[in-house]
Amino acid sequence: SPELLTPSHGLPFSTVLFTYRAECGVNADVEKHLELGKKLLAAGQLADALSQFHAAVDGDPDNYIAYYRRATVFLAMGKSKAALPDLTKVIELKMDFTAARLQRGHLLLKQGKLDEAEDDFKKVLKSNPSENEEKEAQSQLIKSDEMQRLRSQVLDAFESGDYIAAIAFLDKILEVCVWDAELRELRAECFIKEGEPRKAISDLKAASKLKNDNTEAFYKISTLYYQLGDHELSLSEVRECLKLDQDHKRCFAHYKQVKKLNKLIESAEELIRDGRYTDATSKYESVMKTEPSIAEYTVRSKERICHCFSKDEKPVEAIRVCSEVLQMEPDNVNALKDRAEAYLIEEMYDEAIQDYETAQEHNENDQQIREGLEKAQRLLKQSQKRDYYKILGVKRNAKKQEIIKAYRKLALQWHPDNFQNEEEKKKAEKKFIDIAAAKEVLSDPEMRKKFDDGEDPLDAESQQGGGGNPFHRSWNSWQGFNPFSSGGPFRFKFHFN
């Protein structure tokens, strides 16, 4: 009625009426947002519910129910950091709201803020709580007291250098105080002291998320990855540190070192992909000079140099470097495979088989190892028969020109017309046929590939469907054959006395 709205400070009646209606409208809108948000929350539509409670808080900044319900949504979404200020606001607006104080106590306990958590639980017990609230508060007080005792034991163990005991105590505390960044950093330090860097990284990553602008955690993570030989992850983490503080001296100095090393390794790997093995070897030698103090980079560099030598068909060098790697890491599958390939080039088949078998023990599903082992076994069996490379006296990686040159020299030396004695002539005939057969196989890419894979293309036993060896015929069938007519424009005419 107008009497109830009569302004005591002399304002016109119309102004007061407008203000009253505006306030009623705001409250009605807030109630609408709260009700709709409640329904959306019950339906599990958290994002939509959160939007409604945001609107309710904006509409009435002193409405403790709006803050409490928004905090409830934040907790349901796993956003405890966002929930804590809302719960604190609820308690400021309504000191006796025990449900909010109990919930805040839970969050503070998880954050490791034990004194603050205990204060909330004690105030709940003094505020005429429900039976369940009283029981819960007492239980949490007992738990908090236990955490205080364990924390004291952690610090004593750490100070005395008993890192294993400290880790055991920290494990128990962090089951309760799961969001305590300082305790995770302390456990990470213990893991580092005990030589378990990967466990330390796990705790430091958690700490970097739990504490804002945690440059120290990112720096430590980066240095640990670097020491483990993971230069890419090290570079990624130190960049996170510099995003937070571009003037961070230690992060910037470390960033320059990691970036330089990373660039060298990327360049070396690109050279390997391009088949430029000599240049790649030089790059990996630079890697070892750039970071000589961390053994991991020396081992990885030598492993890749071993690979380059093997692929570049430099078996002696490959065997030497691969062996150095295997002295440091006896189970290094990559080095075993590359050394086995080098052994094959050197015709050291037993050694190749042994390396492939060792590699297979550690990676039995690797098709490359399985195929390499089968090839080595075939070549060993083949070497016990006729070896065309040995017949011509050339290496397995000899070029076609070398093969033709060796063939011509031997064909001239063992031509049967050079021998008068019947026994010597028969021996020369056999030798000459073998030389011709070797040239025929090794100068034909398809036949040579078969032979390199352990199959003799001129051996009737290894050919399905039978068929004789075309070179297993008498010398008479070779009369008139000019072994020097192939492989070039040259023609030779022989005159023998």
Side-chain angles (χ1 to χ4, degrees):
S1 67
E3 291 79 8
L4 293 174
L5 294 173
T6 300
S8 59
H9 39 54
L11 289 173
F13 173 76
S14 58
T15 302
V16 175
L17 182 61
F18 174 80
T19 303
Y20 173 77
R21 285 174 176 171
E23 288 177 353
C24 288
V26 167
N27 290 334
D29 286 342
V30 168
E31 288 300 322
K32 188 186 294 183
H33 287 307
L34 289 173
E35 190 60 31
L36 184 54
K38 184 178 178 182
K39 290 178 180 178
L40 289 167
L41 176 60
Q45 298 178 37
L46 302 182
D48 293 334
L50 187 61
S51 296
Q52 294 298 323
F53 294 137
H54 279 322
V57 168
D58 291 340
D60 185 358
D62 293 329
N63 190 316
Y64 72 91
I65 293 296
Y67 286 106
Y68 183 70
R69 288 186 180 169
R70 188 169 70 174
T72 303
V73 177
F74 278 136
L75 290 171
M77 297 174 82
K79 297 180 178 180
S80 60
K81 283 185 180 180
L84 196 57
D86 275 358
L87 290 171
T88 299
K89 186 67 176 178
V90 172
I91 295 166
E92 288 175 3
L93 293 169
K94 188 170 177 57
M95 297 288 290
D96 61 346
F97 198 148
T98 55
R101 195 178 287 279
L102 192 58
Q103 191 65 263
R104 189 177 72 171
H106 278 293
L107 296 182
L108 292 169
L109 185 59
K110 286 185 176 182
Q111 290 182 344
K113 297 177 179 178
L114 303 181
D115 292 336
E116 294 176 48
E118 285 183 2
D119 183 61
D120 269 347
F121 297 136
K122 287 175 181 177
K123 284 181 177 177
V124 167
L125 293 174
K126 293 177 181 178
S127 62
N128 194 27
S130 68
E131 185 179 343
N132 287 337
E133 288 174 336
E134 182 179 3
K135 186 177 179 181
E136 180 65 20
Q138 287 176 340
S139 171
Q140 293 304 308
L141 267 176
I142 293 170
K143 189 178 289 184
S144 181
D145 287 342
E146 175 67 9
M147 295 305 104
Q148 294 276 25
R149 184 182 62 80
L150 284 171
R151 179 177 280 180
S152 177
Q153 290 176 312
V154 165
L155 296 176
D156 289 344
F158 186 83
E159 289 297 323
S160 64
D162 190 353
Y163 303 114
I164 294 176
I167 290 168
F169 292 135
L170 283 164
D171 288 345
K172 291 180 180 178
I173 297 177
L174 286 168
E175 287 178 4
V176 177
C177 306
V178 291
W179 299 330
D180 191 324
E182 282 76 15
L183 289 181
R184 287 195 177 275
E185 288 175 342
L186 183 60
R187 188 168 68 173
E189 193 63 31
C190 292
F191 281 135
I192 292 169
K193 298 287 188 183
E194 286 298 307
E196 296 190 71
R198 294 200 179 277
K199 289 184 178 179
I201 288 171
S202 179
D203 268 342
L204 288 168
K205 282 190 173 183
S208 71
K209 295 175 182 176
L210 292 168
K211 188 192 294 184
N212 293 330
D213 300 334
N214 198 342
T215 54
E216 188 64 22
F218 284 116
Y219 173 72
K220 285 185 178 180
I221 293 168
S222 180
T223 55
L224 287 171
Y225 273 132
Y226 187 73
Q227 290 162 10
L228 288 168
D230 201 329
H231 54 96
E232 291 178 333
L233 284 175
S234 178
L235 187 60
S236 174
E237 294 296 332
V238 78
R239 280 174 174 158
E240 292 299 319
C241 173
L242 292 172
K243 283 180 186 177
L244 296 172
D245 181 2
Q246 61 182 1
D247 298 322
H248 195 290
K249 290 184 179 180
R250 288 188 298 165
C251 282
F252 185 68
H254 184 61
Y255 169 74
K256 288 195 295 183
Q257 174 71 5
V258 183
K259 188 179 179 182
K260 181 180 179 181
L261 193 74
N262 191 64
K263 188 175 180 181
L264 281 171
I265 293 172
E266 284 183 347
S267 177
E269 287 302 308
E270 187 174 345
L271 290 167
I272 289 175
R273 287 191 293 272
D274 292 341
R276 296 169 59 188
Y277 300 115
T278 301
D279 293 336
T281 296
S282 178
K283 285 288 183 184
Y284 270 115
E285 287 171 350
S286 297
V287 170
M288 289 189 284
K289 291 176 184 176
T290 300
E291 188 47 86
S293 61
I294 297 177
E296 186 67 22
Y297 292 105
T298 299
V299 176
R300 296 286 77 80
S301 295
K302 288 192 173 186
E303 179 187 319
R304 299 306 282 162
I305 291 171
C306 146
H307 177 73
C308 289
F309 281 140
S310 180
K311 290 298 180 185
D312 207 21
E313 296 189 339
K314 295 179 179 178
V316 175
E317 294 91 335
I319 291 167
R320 174 179 57 81
V321 179
C322 291
S323 297
E324 290 176 6
V325 175
L326 290 165
Q327 282 180 349
M328 295 180 278
E329 292 183 349
D331 301 334
N332 189 311
V333 172
N334 292 327
L336 286 165
K337 290 190 323 190
D338 286 324
R339 189 171 71 171
E341 287 187 25
Y343 278 142
L344 288 181
I345 295 172
E346 286 292 282
E347 301 176 15
M348 300 169 69
Y349 304 124
D350 287 320
E351 289 84 352
I353 289 170
Q354 184 176 346
D355 272 358
Y356 277 128
E357 286 178 341
T358 304
Q360 196 171 53
E361 288 174 8
H362 300 288
N363 194 348
E364 58 184 21
N365 296 321
D366 190 316
Q367 186 176 351
Q368 188 182 2
I369 295 173
R370 185 166 57 250
E371 290 174 354
L373 178 58
E374 290 171 357
K375 178 180 177 179
Q377 290 167 337
R378 286 197 305 270
L379 288 171
L380 176 62
K381 185 177 180 181
Q382 184 187 82
S383 70
Q384 296 163 352
K385 296 181 181 179
R386 181 167 58 174
D387 188 330
Y388 296 125
Y389 289 103
K390 286 185 178 179
I391 289 170
L392 293 184
V394 296
K395 288 189 172 292
R396 297 190 77 88
N397 59 349
K399 306 297 182 186
K400 185 174 181 179
Q401 295 89 329
E402 296 176 68
I403 291 166
I404 297 298
K405 183 179 179 180
Y407 161 69
R408 287 173 176 165
K409 181 180 177 181
L410 291 169
L412 179 61
Q413 178 184 346
W414 290 98
H415 197 289
D417 287 350
N418 289 338
F419 301 90
Q420 301 301 318
N421 181 281
E422 284 300 317
E423 285 297 320
E424 289 180 349
K425 187 182 282 290
K426 285 182 180 179
K427 180 181 177 182
E429 287 176 3
K430 183 179 183 304
K431 189 80 172 175
F432 186 83
I433 290 169
D434 284 345
I435 292 165
K439 178 260 178 186
E440 187 72 12
V441 170
L442 299 183
S443 62
D444 182 286
E446 188 176 339
M447 295 175 77
R448 183 176 180 179
K449 185 178 185 309
K450 285 185 178 181
F451 185 75
D452 286 344
D453 288 339
E455 175 188 336
D456 187 344
L458 303 181
D459 185 356
E461 292 181 5
S462 66
Q463 305 297 311
Q464 290 187 356
N469 186 338
F471 291 96
H472 288 177
R473 41 187 166 173
S474 67
W475 160 245
N476 293 331
S477 64
W478 291 95
Q479 294 293 344
F481 168 67
N482 182 358
F484 301 94
S485 64
S486 60
F490 306 105
R491 296 290 183 271
F492 296 88
K493 189 173 183 180
F494 295 99
H495 299 279
F496 298 103
N497 294 328

